């Protein structure tokens, strides 16, 4: 029996310095729908295996062992007091691959990946320990924050839509799965059905899973993906072989690798910062709907835990996806179910914690791993498409007036350009436009004047409508 939470209070925990430890069955209950999601959506983690094989030059068995290290990292946030479902810094993957492309797969690429990941670790750690991470949330202009979020969503979507992308090669299964997932997660008409139909409520509990199942079945029927060769037993990742692909075996990178990795590390952090904003916004929305639990979103703790996960990867499993604060699509499904009330989900931690613990358990199940092996791209593609929708929705929601929307739009389009330096350009352009266009005064205080202008713009919008 889990420790009972008082109405309106923060969920029970064991204090441990800057962390708040919460364990399943002791502090929160086990959530069956999130367990089912974890048993299926763990395949997103397996989708990193082809990238590990291609760009780091390792065999499948060693890459599979890397996914277990990733699984351990996924359970840390809920364990240590972060109410977000963690994942990769997914929109940064194309930039990371471009960086790794300059090195020969094998020891050189592994050293380069270590240099990049340890720099990402240091960025998160310094900003988290100093408290600068939480200050960035309030200091960065609203238009720039929203533009980064929207641009990351557009970039994720364009990667799927481009010629040669997965939508081009497997259109039928991916479109079918995306339609089902989007309808269940976001449709207003489906929300009306939920109020009257118990079966629809059960389907909604499983978030992305129905869309994933439809995409897989359709893909097998139309021949876009081969049928699986299901094997029985327990998975056998080769941790001994994995050790040959770690920094302890390859040696430390040279100073040039560290210097060349700095721009990519900064870009990855900017994108991850946008993920933090998305996660916080989604939690604030559902926190207003649930009065029985107070959700604490400590941005500094998010930074420190994300740094710990990246350090874990840097030394034990260099990871082209990096460790990010948010698995956007799953976090959104957990938040949506949480908003249904305490009977649906006891605590935001019970949903987030159950999901990745179940995902780690699923990695041990050989029938599941072999069944999903042929359709690994589907899970990644659905995640990217739903992430794009959520990022655009949340980013637009944060904009207050036409001026902010214009600046954010320019930032978003710049960020989504297929250029490794597009993130840097987007930040520079966003700051320049903020000072030139948004501020009533280039220098000095302007809050009062800003409020007058905002209210006047909103009045004009209301009169026009």
């Amino acid at each position: 029996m889990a420790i009972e939470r008082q109405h309106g209070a923060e969920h029970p925990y064991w204090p441990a310095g800057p962390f708040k430890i919460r364990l399943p069955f002791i502090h929160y209950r086990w959530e069956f729908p999130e367990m089912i999601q974890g048993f299926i959506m763990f395949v997103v983690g397996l989708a990193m295996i082809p990238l590990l094989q291609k760009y780091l030059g390792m065999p499948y068995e060693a890459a599979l062992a890397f996914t277990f290290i990733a699984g351990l990292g996924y359970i840390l946030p809920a364990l240590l007091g972060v109410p977000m479902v963690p994942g990769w810094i997914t929109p940064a993957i194309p930039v990371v691959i471009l960086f790794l492309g300059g090195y020969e797969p094998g020891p050189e690429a592994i050293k380069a990946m270590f240099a990049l990941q340890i720099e990402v670790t240091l960025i998160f750690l310094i900003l988290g320990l100093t408290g600068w991470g939480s200050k960035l949330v309030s200091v960065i202009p609203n238009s720039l924050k929203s533009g980064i979020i929207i641009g990351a969503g557009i970039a994720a979507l364009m990667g799927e839509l481009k010629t040669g992308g997965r939508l081009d090669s497997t259109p039928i299964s991916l479109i079918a799965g995306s339609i089902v997932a989007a309808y269940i997660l976001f449709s207003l008409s489906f929300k009306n059905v939920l109020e009257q139909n118990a079966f629809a409520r059960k389907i909604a509990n499983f978030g992305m899973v129905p869309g994933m199942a439809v995409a897989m079945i359709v893909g097998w029927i139309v021949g876009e993906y081969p049928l699986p060769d299901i094997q029985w037993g327990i998975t056998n990742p080769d941790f001994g072989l994995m050790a040959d692909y770690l920094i302890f075996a390859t040696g430390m990178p040279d100073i040039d690798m560290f210097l060349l990795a700095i721009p990519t590390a900064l870009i990855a952090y900017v994108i991850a910062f946008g993920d933090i904003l998305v996660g916080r916004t989604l939690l604030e929305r559902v926190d207003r709907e649930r009065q029985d639990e107070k959700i604490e979103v400590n941005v500094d703790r998010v930074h420190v835990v994300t740094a710990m996960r990246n350090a874990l990867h840097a030394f034990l499993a260099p990871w082209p996806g990096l460790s990010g604060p948010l698995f956007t699509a799953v976090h959104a499904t957990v938040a949506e179910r949480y908003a249904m009330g305490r009977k649906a989900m006891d605590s935001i931690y019970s949903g987030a914690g159950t999901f990745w613990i179940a995902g780690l358990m699923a990695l041990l199940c050989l029938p599941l791993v072999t069944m999903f092996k042929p359709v690994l791209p589907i899970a990644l593609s659905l995640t990217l498409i739903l992430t794009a929708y959520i990022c655009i929705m949340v980013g637009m929601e944060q904009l207050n007036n036409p001026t902010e929307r214009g600046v954010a739009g320019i930032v978003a389009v710049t960020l989504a350009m297929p250029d490794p330096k597009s993130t840097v350009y987007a930040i520079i352009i966003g700051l320049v436009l903020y000072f030139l266009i948004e501020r009533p005064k280039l220098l000095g205080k302007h809050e009062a004047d800003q409020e007058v202008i905002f209210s006047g713009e909103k009045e004009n919008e209301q009169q026009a409508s």
Side-chain angles (χ1 to χ4, degrees):
M1 179 66 70
I3 300 173
E4 188 67 22
R5 179 182 71 246
Q6 294 183 355
H7 185 85
E10 189 178 349
H11 202 69
Y13 61 89
W14 291 333
F19 307 115
K20 296 182 176 181
I21 296 176
R22 294 179 175 93
L23 300 174
F25 305 110
I26 296 176
H27 295 101
Y28 60 80
R29 77 185 188 197
W30 189 257
E31 302 287 354
F32 182 75
E34 274 66 42
M35 182 187 74
I36 299 301
Q37 283 200 71
F39 282 164
I40 296 178
M41 294 309 298
F42 83 101
V43 298
V44 175
L46 293 178
M48 184 57 60
I49 290 177
L51 298 184
L52 292 168
Q53 292 175 296
K54 181 176 180 180
Y55 294 100
L56 297 188
M58 63 179 58
Y60 175 84
E61 293 76 13
L64 181 61
F66 271 32
T67 66
F68 277 83
I69 304 299
L72 293 174
Y74 294 142
I75 67 175
L76 286 179
L79 174 68
L80 298 178
V82 175
M84 298 180 186
V85 180
W88 308 339
I89 309 179
T90 309
I93 291 176
V95 183
V96 174
I97 288 175
L98 190 64
F99 168 71
L100 291 176
Y103 300 94
E104 187 72 21
E108 288 301 301
I110 291 168
K111 288 191 285 187
M113 191 65 237
F114 171 85
L116 172 61
Q117 196 135 33
I118 207 68
E119 288 177 358
V120 172
T121 298
L122 291 174
I123 292 172
F124 274 103
L125 187 62
I126 292 170
L127 293 177
L129 293 178
T130 59
W132 295 342
S134 57
K135 291 178 182 178
L136 280 175
V137 175
S138 57
V139 170
I140 294 179
N142 193 46
S143 56
L144 180 57
K145 289 188 290 190
S146 297
I148 290 172
I149 294 171
I150 296 169
I154 294 174
L157 184 61
M158 294 307 296
E160 298 301 306
L161 296 179
K162 69 181 180 181
T163 303
R166 276 181 286 268
L167 191 62
D168 187 31
S169 57
T170 57
I172 300 175
S173 56
L174 194 50
I175 290 174
S178 298
I179 290 173
V180 172
Y183 180 73
I184 291 174
L185 292 174
F186 309 118
S187 171
L188 296 178
S189 63
F190 187 72
K191 289 188 186 329
N192 290 329
V193 174
L194 291 179
E195 298 177 1
Q196 305 170 1
N197 192 301
F199 181 69
R201 287 194 293 272
K202 291 180 180 179
I203 293 176
N205 282 338
F206 297 107
M208 288 177 60
V209 171
M212 177 73 183
V214 168
M216 288 167 47
I217 293 170
V218 170
W220 286 329
I221 290 175
V222 301
E224 289 183 342
Y225 290 95
L227 292 173
D229 177 21
I230 298 177
Q231 302 172 22
W232 300 96
I234 299 175
T235 51
N236 187 28
D238 196 331
F239 291 100
L241 181 61
M242 180 190 82
D244 295 337
Y245 297 88
L246 301 180
I247 199 69
F248 310 107
T250 63
M252 290 292 290
D254 56 34
I255 190 65
D256 289 340
M257 283 185 177
F258 283 106
L259 293 175
L260 290 173
I262 289 175
T264 305
L266 292 173
I267 290 170
Y269 174 75
V270 171
I271 294 173
F273 181 77
D275 285 341
I276 293 174
L277 298 177
V278 171
R280 191 181 75 153
T281 302
L282 289 171
L283 289 173
E284 287 173 347
R285 288 174 62 189
V286 297
D287 192 34
R288 290 192 292 268
E289 297 184 32
R290 287 272 300 265
Q291 302 302 312
D292 61 284
E293 178 180 10
K294 175 180 172 56
I295 301 176
E296 181 209 29
V297 184
N298 187 313
V299 175
D300 293 328
R301 188 182 302 134
V302 174
H303 277 74
V304 173
V305 174
T306 305
M308 292 168 62
R309 292 175 54 224
N310 276 289
L312 179 72
H313 272 295
F315 289 101
L316 298 180
W319 197 253
L322 302 173
S323 287
L326 194 71
F327 189 164
T328 309
V330 173
H331 180 74
T333 64
V334 170
E336 286 292 323
R337 207 172 78 79
Y338 175 80
M340 296 179 184
R342 192 165 185 177
K343 288 184 177 180
M345 185 185 295
D346 178 40
S347 166
I348 193 68
Y349 294 97
S350 63
T354 300
F355 176 81
W356 272 127
I357 293 174
L360 183 59
M361 293 164 55
L363 284 173
L364 296 170
C365 186
L366 186 59
L368 287 177
V369 171
T370 53
M371 182 176 72
F372 290 125
K373 187 176 179 180
V375 292
L376 292 180
I378 289 180
L380 183 57
S381 293
L382 277 179
T383 298
L384 289 169
I385 291 170
L386 295 176
T387 296
Y389 178 87
I390 295 164
C391 286
I392 294 170
M393 175 187 70
V394 171
M396 294 294 291
E397 189 178 60
Q398 301 305 300
L399 298 168
N400 299 310
N401 57 75
T403 305
E404 284 190 355
R405 287 193 281 271
V407 173
I410 298 297
V411 171
V413 171
T414 306
L415 183 70
M417 291 192 309
D419 188 315
K421 299 179 181 178
S422 61
T423 306
V424 177
Y425 297 150
I427 294 171
I428 295 172
I429 290 171
L431 290 173
V432 170
L433 291 179
Y434 168 72
F435 282 102
L436 290 180
I437 297 177
E438 289 191 56
R439 290 172 64 100
K441 298 178 182 179
L442 285 177
L443 301 173
K445 295 182 178 180
H446 63 284
E447 286 81 5
D449 296 334
Q450 191 82 346
E451 289 178 3
V452 172
I453 290 176
F454 284 178
S455 62
E457 288 177 337
K458 289 181 179 178
E459 287 180 6
N460 292 336
E461 286 182 339
Q462 292 174 356
Q463 291 174 0
S465 60

